[in-house]
Amino acid sequence: MKIILRTLTAGVAGAALLVGAAQADTLRLLTWGGYAPENVIEKFEAETGHTVEVTMSNNEEMIAKLRATGGGGFDLAQPSQDRIAGPQAEFGIYKPIDMSQIKTEQFVPSMLDATKGNSTVDGEVYAVPHIWGTSGLIVNTADADTVKDYTDLCDPSLEGKVSYRLKRPTLIGFAYSMGLDPFAAYGDEAAYTEIMNQVEAKLIECKPVVKTYWSGGDELLNLVRSGEVVAAMAWDTGGWKLNADNADINFVAPASGALGWIDTFVLPAKGKADQAAYDYINFVMQPEIAAMITESAGNFTASKGADEFASDALKAQYQGSFPPEAVDNIKWYPPVPAGLEAIEGGILDRVKAAQ
C-alpha cells in the first residue's frame, strides 16, 4: 500500500529557505503503519520543501524489497534493530549512518547506544532508534501488588490467577529474573543451553500457579478484565489499554528489566536522497513531533522528553510504568544467532508437556 503525500503551496520554498535546506528532494520512506501520520508528513514537507512518498510494510517485506533491489527503491527504511546486522553482513542492503548528520542530543541515550551497538557491522553504525516497545508485567495491584519481577508469577498465593505465553520472551524474562544473562550467552550455544535448562526447571515448577498460557492479546486482555487473571507477562500497550478502564491495572517494568524491541531508521544502500533522510530523522525526533507519532502509532519513540508532549492519559501511563531508571534497565533484543530457536523450541515443548 503506497500513500503519496505532497504539499504544493507557495509557502514551501520560503519554509525551506528558513530551515536552510540546500535542496528539496523526494524522500521514499519504507515504514510501518502509523509511523508516518499525515499531519507529521505535512509539517515536514512545509518546513523543509522535501516531499515524501510513504510505503507501508513490515520486517519481512522490508528485507525482501531491499534484497531484491540490492538496497534500491527507497531512501529511508524502518526495520527492527535485530534485522540489520545479519542482512547487512549477508546482503549489503544498507549504507552506514553518518552520525555527524544526526542530532544525537534528541535521543534517549540508552536507546541510542543500544541500537548503535546492535547495528554495528565492521565498525560502521547502520541504524538509529525510532519507535520502541516492551514486554514485562501486567498487574492488578488490588490483588497482586507483590508482583515486581517475572519469577513473582510463580507465587503460590496466586495459584490459578497467572498467565504468560510459552514463547521466547518468557524464557528470556525468567532468565533475567533468575539472575542470569541470556543475551550475553547468545554467542555460546553450550552456555545458552545451560541457562535455558535452568529456566525450563523453573517454568515446570511454576506450572501449578498458571491458569493458562495465553496465545492471543485479546484473550489475555479479557482474562485480566474479568479478574480471572491478576498478573501476567505481556506488552506495555496492553497494560495501558487495561489501565484506561481500571486504574488498579497497569503495565509494570520488571525489576530485572523489561524486554525491549526497537524499530529503527536505516539508509538503504542505493538510496538517492540521504540529506532528505537525515532531515526527516532529525525532524521527527523533536519531542513535539515525536509525541504526534506516539498518538498515531500507540508506542513511544526514542525522542528524549517526548512523553511530556503526549496526551495526559498516555503521559501518566508511560511515566507510571517507566521512570528513567526503568528505561535505562530495558534489555533490548539483539539479533538471534542461528541454532538458538531449536534450543528454545525444545525447552518450550518440554514445559508444555510436563505434568
Side-chain angles (χ1 to χ4, degrees):
M1 173 180 174
K2 179 177 287 189
I3 305 170
I4 300 178
L5 304 165
R6 287 188 170 88
T7 300
L8 300 176
T9 66
V12 165
L17 289 174
L18 285 174
V19 299
Q23 179 181 347
D25 291 314
T26 295
L27 176 68
R28 298 165 300 170
L29 174 63
L30 184 61
T31 188
W32 300 76
Y35 284 21
E38 186 172 348
N39 58 348
V40 169
I41 297 299
E42 289 176 348
K43 287 178 70 69
F44 173 72
E45 291 182 330
E47 291 190 22
T48 66
H50 301 307
T51 55
V52 183
E53 296 179 358
V54 180
T55 299
M56 305 300 184
S57 191
N58 57 46
N59 273 319
E60 289 71 26
E61 290 181 357
M62 286 184 203
I63 302 303
K65 288 176 185 293
L66 295 176
R67 278 189 64 187
T69 59
F74 299 93
D75 308 298
L76 188 63
Q78 297 209 250
S80 299
Q81 70 166 355
D82 60 351
R83 305 299 181 96
I84 297 168
Q88 175 58 24
E90 188 171 0
F91 308 118
I93 56 177
Y94 309 126
K95 66 178 73 172
I97 296 283
D98 179 357
M99 293 304 298
S100 71
Q101 296 281 340
I102 301 293
K103 294 183 179 180
T104 56
E105 70 276 5
Q106 294 187 150
F107 291 77
V108 176
S110 60
M111 295 186 194
L112 180 60
D113 289 345
T115 301
K116 288 168 61 180
N118 284 326
S119 68
T120 295
V121 179
D122 296 331
E124 299 276 10
V125 173
Y126 283 87
V128 293
H130 187 214
I131 303 282
W132 64 278
T134 68
S135 57
L137 300 169
I138 292 178
V139 179
N140 186 328
T141 56
D143 299 307
D145 63 348
T146 60
V147 175
K148 308 293 184 185
D149 213 340
Y150 303 104
T151 51
D152 292 338
L153 297 173
C154 299
D155 185 344
S157 69
L158 301 176
E159 183 174 351
K161 294 188 174 183
V162 163
S163 187
Y164 44 81
R165 293 191 301 167
L166 284 182
K167 296 286 186 180
R168 169 182 291 138
T170 300
L171 300 178
I172 299 297
F174 268 70
Y176 274 114
S177 189
M178 293 164 65
L180 307 170
D181 190 341
F183 291 162
Y186 259 22
D188 185 335
E189 283 196 22
Y192 193 72
T193 298
E194 174 57 29
I195 288 173
M196 288 297 107
N197 287 339
Q198 294 180 59
V199 173
E200 176 185 346
K202 185 65 175 177
L203 289 174
I204 291 174
E205 174 191 325
C206 295
K207 285 198 76 168
V209 181
V210 178
K211 177 177 181 60
T212 186
Y213 298 118
W214 65 270
S215 58
D218 288 342
E219 173 193 3
L220 175 67
L221 296 185
N222 290 333
L223 286 168
V224 177
R225 284 193 184 102
S226 69
E228 294 175 81
V229 166
V230 298
M233 184 176 175
W235 299 293
D236 46 22
T237 50
W240 295 334
K241 184 179 293 186
L242 291 165
N243 178 258
D245 300 325
N246 184 340
D248 289 331
I249 304 170
N250 207 354
F251 179 83
V252 174
S256 59
L259 304 178
W261 54 265
I262 297 178
D263 290 335
T264 69
F265 287 116
V266 299
L267 300 178
K270 296 180 181 177
K272 298 178 179 179
D274 287 359
Q275 190 56 57
Y278 287 123
D279 289 345
Y280 185 82
I281 294 169
N282 291 328
F283 178 81
V284 300
M285 295 309 292
Q286 297 175 91
E288 299 93 331
I289 303 300
M292 294 169 63
I293 293 174
T294 291
E295 293 292 337
S296 170
N299 288 94
F300 283 84
T301 76
S303 172
K304 186 177 181 180
D307 56 294
E308 291 294 338
F309 295 90
S311 67
D312 289 344
L314 274 175
K315 179 167 64 175
Q317 290 170 339
Y318 171 83
Q319 293 178 346
S321 298
F322 285 106
E325 60 272 17
V327 172
D328 291 341
N329 194 34
I330 294 171
K331 306 300 190 291
W332 301 106
Y333 284 107
V336 181
L340 296 196
E341 289 186 359
I343 296 170
E344 294 168 348
I347 298 292
L348 294 169
D349 288 344
R350 290 193 293 274
V351 171
K352 184 176 182 179
Q355 298 299 318

